[in-house]
Each structure stands twice: as C-alpha cells, then as structure tokens.
Amino acid sequence: MRKIIHVDMDAFYASVEQRDNVAYQGKPLAVGGSPNTRGVVCAASYEARRFGIHSAMSSKVALQRCPHLIFVSPRFESYRAISAQIRPIFERHTDIIEPIALDEAYLDVSENKGVGK
Ligand SMILES: [Mg+2]
C-alpha cells in the first residue's frame, strides 16, 4: 500500500504578508485584487476568516463583511521564493514530490527515507 501525504499550507500568502510586515500582524488581511476593480480574495488571514472572508470571494463583498479589512496585492515572487525554501523540508522525507501549487504538494512517503537514522 502506498502512503501519500497531502501538504496544504493554510493562509499561505496572507501568512507571508503578516510575517514580512509587522503592521499586518494580528489584523484581518486579504491578499488579492482591490475592491474597486472587481478583484477577488486570493488568501485571507485567520483574523479575516472570523468575518467570514475566504479565498475566491469578491473583494467588494469581503470589504462589506469587514470594513477595516487590509488589502494587499499579491507578491508572487516572494511566495515562490518561500515555497522553494520549503521544498528541501519535503526532500528530507521523500524524493517523490508532486507540487500542486506554491502552497500545496503531494509527498509519496511509501518508502522510509530514513530521517533521523
Ligand atoms: Mg492552501
């Protein structure tokens, strides 16, 4: 039987923005398009989720649910760089990695790579 791990990092883009900007920490934040331009939310921080904001929601609706929501434009280059930093962690456990997105991958851990031996 094969053993597969599905890694899906929660609130990845929003967490990167909060990590990189102290002013965003602990606040409702949405990464995505502006509410004035038919934008959509790509990622919502945990604080924003408490207002019912989630990814794929229109930014306009998100702003209605949380008027003090902070909107941040996506910085895909940064997300890509951080995603690349996470990859070696996966490689410690398996050589069979199927990336799905910057924040998501399948790891085939059927065979024990012998971490910690
Ligand atoms: Mg995710």
Side-chain angles (χ1 to χ4, degrees), residues 8-10 103:
D8 185 351
M9 285 171 273
D10 209 23
D103 63 345

Side-chain angles (χ1 to χ4, degrees), residues 61-79:
V61 171
L63 193 62
Q64 283 164 1
R65 291 198 183 180
C66 177
H68 57 292
L69 183 63
I70 300 166
F71 278 93
V72 178
S73 295
R75 295 181 301 136
F76 289 110
E77 281 315 308
S78 299
Y79 311 149

Side-chain angles (χ1 to χ4, degrees), residues 35-90:
N36 312 315
T37 62
R38 295 188 176 198
V40 292
V41 174
C42 297
S45 71
Y46 291 107
E47 296 84 359
R49 288 175 190 198
R50 279 186 217 119
F51 292 86
I53 294 159
H54 54 79
S55 50
M57 170 182 277
S58 97
S59 298
K60 200 176 167 185
V61 171
L63 193 62
Q64 283 164 1
R65 291 198 183 180
C66 177
H68 57 292
L69 183 63
I70 300 166
F71 278 93
V72 178
S73 295
R75 295 181 301 136
F76 289 110
E77 281 315 308
S78 299
Y79 311 149
R80 225 182 306 279
I82 293 160
S83 185
Q85 287 171 3
I86 291 162
R87 176 98 181 191
I89 298 169
F90 296 162

Side-chain angles (χ1 to χ4, degrees), residues 1-3 8-9 16 21-22 34 38-39 44 56-57 64 79 86 95 104 106 116:
M1 212 218 298
R2 303 186 80 185
K3 295 177 197 161
D8 185 351
M9 285 171 273
V16 170
N21 189 334
V22 201
S34 154
R38 295 188 176 198
M57 170 182 277
Q64 283 164 1
Y79 311 149
I86 291 162
D95 297 323
E104 200 177 340
Y106 285 102

